[in-house]
Amino acid sequence: MKNLFWAAAAVALVAAGPAAAGDIIYKPIDTNKLVVQPSRTVANVAAQTINVVGNTAAGSLENNGYIKTINNLFSRKIIVPHTQLGPSPLPSPNMFPSTQYKSYNTPLMPINRPR
């Protein structure tokens, strides 16, 4: 039964024959149309509009007295320390003999020889 089904499918496929391709219609593409040319201009205008709207919203929030008061009451300034407090938990580099080896890439003084 299974083989009969596959045989019928193969006969139907062969009977249908190859599909005929349609005629080729030449349609030139007009690159001067409004759809193609101003894409970069439209993108720049959209970006500038987004920047203006964002800056306006941020400015109005920063200048709002209520928000400034809430930020001053519930926030604290983050101070980044520039120095390390106390001794380092790491051992001193001078404890290791590899730090006392002479560097392999120490430049040599040039030698002046008379010709």
Side-chain angles (χ1 to χ4, degrees):
M1 185 71 173
K2 190 184 209 181
N3 291 337
L4 182 63
F5 173 75
W6 287 112
V11 169
L13 188 64
V14 170
D23 292 334
I24 297 175
I25 300 172
Y26 177 72
K27 292 183 182 178
I29 298 173
D30 186 12
T31 58
N32 294 325
K33 284 186 178 177
L34 190 62
V35 177
V36 176
Q37 287 289 18
S39 61
R40 180 165 292 192
T41 305
V42 170
N44 289 339
V45 169
Q48 289 174 355
T49 305
I50 291 170
N51 286 339
V52 167
V53 170
N55 290 339
T56 304
S60 66
L61 287 176
E62 285 180 3
N63 294 330
N64 190 337
Y66 293 113
I67 293 178
K68 281 184 177 180
T69 304
I70 291 171
N71 284 341
N72 288 337
L73 289 175
F74 296 110
S75 66
R76 61 179 190 179
K77 287 192 172 188
I78 298 173
I79 300 171
V80 179
H82 298 289
T83 58
Q84 180 178 342
L85 299 174
S88 173
L90 299 174
S92 171
N94 294 332
M95 292 176 58
F96 302 99
S98 62
T99 59
Q100 298 166 4
Y101 296 153
K102 188 172 181 179
S103 176
Y104 68 92
N105 60 354
T106 304
L108 299 174
M109 289 293 294
I111 299 172
N112 291 332
R113 294 185 185 172
R115 289 186 182 199

